[in-house]
Amino acid sequence: MKNDIFPKKIISPDEALVVINYLSDGLIVFNEQKKLSFINLFAQKIFGVDDRVLGIDIEEMVNFSGLKEVFFLLGKEINELNRKELEINKKMILEVSSFPLFKESRKIGYLVILHDVTREKSIEKMKTDFVSLSAHQLRTPLSSINWALDTLLKERLGKLNESQKTLLEQAKESNQRMLALVRDLLDVVKIEEGKYLGKLVPSDFLKIVQDVIKNYQEEIKKKEIKFQLQLTSNKIPKINIDQEKIYSVVQNLIDNALRYSFAGGMIIVSINTDENNLIFSVSDSGIGIPKEDQNNIFNKFFRSSNATRLETEGNGLGLFVSKNIIEAHGGKIWFESEENQGSTFYFTLPLK
Ligand code: ADP
């Protein structure tokens, strides 16, 4: 049958060249000898060069102000790159990808694609600035409210009756939840700005874990949780960490294990070491994580539906922040879980 909707048409090389030149991505091609054999109009415009660069050796790119940056990224062997960011003259941000080109399994050269992400980056920055500004602006009034509620609850301004006390306690709890959210948002902003970790100091990891557990004693008793701390090494060497941040990761994992467990459940916290790493884990017999949600667990603001059903409070930021903290220390974080059976969260921290 004749196909009138998609008539077959093969474009000529000249027409293909026009199309490539009008692309809003920059393209640079190197031949097998790593000589620049093609640069489309968009890339010429970005770097302020013209056809005269054709034929230069990759190493000669250092003689052209814009192209120099691309050379430093590619290296003289032309590394394979996947969306590596490159800032040009503090004005433009490009995502650079590069890979070898093959024709009938013979390498014929290399293609470099330059995608302009300046607009996306500036929108992302505006979003981060907005979150940062709102969180900072909220923190001060929320802290004042906290102070005022504390003053009233401590009966410094007069005796309270039972219903006044209950009401103020509820108000204080809600206010503290808002303060915790503001703190988490400020952490997210810092992570996105890439300035998150404080000073790394040699620290006693076991003591951090014990301190966190101490703060949860009441909750553990209230929920009648069977709680165990298991140590496999006799002596855990001191490790270089940002203590406050690692404390918050340990706290987040233990807090989740408790919140997503039923009364009477079991939680096992363990600390192991191997040759290179300290390995920390928190295992619970709680609600578990549905299979279809497991890929999203470390994403910002993500919460599973079984978790929101059991526990309405939560913002889905804890694990996102924890992952960033652990990876910034050179460690790894992951989990194993089965819905209705329980979860085990693990992280490693390099010993050296
Ligand atoms: P939050 O607990 O405030 O929702 P987190 O980032 O700490 O935020 O966790 C994200 C989500 O991961 C939770 O909402 C829940 O769906 C899931 N999750 C985390 N820890 C556990 C756990 N121990 N058991 C079951 N689900 C968990």
Side-chain angles (χ1 to χ4, degrees):
M1 196 177 71
K2 198 165 161 264
N3 185 344
D4 292 328
I5 308 171
F6 300 111
K8 245 195 194 153
K9 182 168 190 265
I10 296 179
I11 60 172
S12 68
D14 278 352
E15 286 169 322
L17 200 61
V18 174
V19 173
I20 290 170
N21 267 328
Y22 277 95
L23 278 183
S24 57
D25 275 352
L27 297 183
I28 304 177
V29 179
F30 294 92
N31 66 15
E32 213 197 339
Q33 287 76 43
K34 305 196 179 84
K35 288 195 188 302
L36 200 154
S37 56
F38 177 76
I39 175 163
N40 75 343
L41 277 184
F42 187 77
Q44 291 185 20
K45 217 166 89 194
I46 299 173
F47 301 117
V49 295
D50 55 31
D51 278 350
R52 278 174 288 182
V53 294
L54 292 178
I56 62 167
D57 192 87
I58 181 149
E59 293 187 64
E60 288 176 70
M61 282 167 81
V62 291
N63 302 324
F64 298 86
S65 65
L67 285 177
K68 183 164 67 181
E69 304 301 328
V70 182
F71 171 70
F72 291 145
L73 204 62
L74 290 173
K76 58 181 181 196
E77 294 309 320
I78 312 191
N79 302 316
E80 266 190 57
L81 302 174
N82 182 23
R83 295 163 161 233
K84 265 260 182 285
E85 264 177 36
L86 177 66
E87 200 177 293
I88 304 288
N89 300 330
K90 298 214 176 297
K91 275 199 302 232
M92 183 181 235
I93 301 171
L94 297 173
E95 255 177 19
V96 184
S97 302
S98 62
F99 42 87
L101 293 171
F102 290 93
K103 190 175 179 189
E104 287 150 13
S105 73
R106 187 173 64 86
K107 197 199 266 179
I108 56 163
Y110 304 83
L111 175 63
V112 181
I113 302 175
L114 309 145
H115 182 56
D116 182 4
V117 290
T118 318
R119 192 174 136 73
E120 282 100 312
K121 286 282 155 190
S122 102
I123 293 173
E124 220 172 83
K125 179 159 187 323
M126 272 158 38
K127 198 189 71 191
T128 306
D129 288 350
F130 171 73
V131 174
S132 165
L133 183 81
S134 353
H136 276 110
Q137 294 294 333
L138 282 169
R139 194 165 52 175
T140 318
L142 286 174
S143 306
S144 317
I145 296 171
N146 203 46
W147 175 83
L149 291 170
D150 258 350
T151 312
L152 290 172
L153 274 166
K154 284 180 185 152
E155 301 188 320
R156 291 212 176 107
L157 301 178
K159 206 136 181 62
L160 300 170
N161 65 33
E162 272 320 298
S163 38
Q164 286 169 332
K165 228 184 218 171
T166 313
L167 203 65
L168 286 175
E169 268 159 6
Q170 283 166 356
K172 188 176 152 122
E173 212 182 290
S174 303
N175 187 63
Q176 275 186 327
R177 276 206 300 272
M178 280 196 275
L179 265 170
L181 172 62
V182 164
R183 258 196 310 273
D184 284 347
L185 286 174
L186 288 172
D187 280 345
V188 171
V189 169
K190 281 193 210 131
I191 287 170
E192 287 178 349
E193 287 173 345
K195 43 184 181 195
Y196 194 49
L197 276 199
K199 208 164 169 243
L200 303 190
V201 289
S203 313
D204 182 348
F205 183 78
L206 175 60
K207 166 99 177 35
I208 292 178
V209 175
Q210 286 167 331
D211 284 349
V212 174
I213 295 173
K214 215 184 285 163
N215 286 335
Y216 280 97
Q217 278 315 315
E218 212 175 296
E219 185 70 20
I220 291 168
K221 220 183 261 163
K222 206 161 87 189
K223 259 191 142 171
E224 295 175 347
I225 299 280
K226 294 177 231 21
F227 193 97
Q228 272 182 38
L229 171 63
Q230 292 180 347
L231 305 176
T232 46
S233 322
N234 288 341
K235 195 159 162 39
I236 300 154
K238 289 208 161 172
I239 47 172
N240 270 333
I241 51 174
D242 175 335
Q243 280 187 19
E244 207 182 300
K245 301 275 165 34
I246 293 297
Y247 183 98
S248 73
V249 179
V250 172
Q251 182 180 36
N252 185 240
L253 297 187
I254 293 180
D255 190 84
N256 280 348
L258 270 163
R259 283 192 306 138
Y260 301 122
S261 287
F262 303 108
M266 172 135 193
I267 294 179
I268 300 171
V269 170
S270 85
I271 308 173
N272 293 320
T273 48
D274 67 13
E275 234 172 277
N276 304 312
N277 295 296
L278 176 145
I279 308 150
F280 174 77
S281 71
V282 182
S283 200
D284 67 61
S285 57
I287 61 171
I289 300 167
K291 270 251 150 4
E292 66 273 17
D293 289 340
Q294 297 199 352
N295 283 336
N296 295 319
I297 281 304
F298 290 104
N299 291 348
K300 223 179 341 183
F301 300 118
F302 184 84
R303 304 195 70 210
S304 270
S305 52
N306 65 341
T308 45
R309 267 197 308 275
L310 177 79
E311 175 70 56
T312 45
E313 299 308 329
N315 56 31
L317 289 176
L319 287 178
F320 168 79
V321 172
S322 299
K323 182 171 194 288
N324 277 279
I325 293 174
I326 295 300
E327 288 177 357
H329 278 85
K332 277 199 209 125
I333 182 165
W334 72 100
F335 66 90
E336 287 158 5
S337 181
E338 207 166 309
E339 195 171 2
N340 299 321
Q341 301 293 317
S343 313
T344 305
F345 278 80
Y346 302 85
F347 69 70
T348 62
L349 286 170
L351 287 175
K352 288 190 194 87

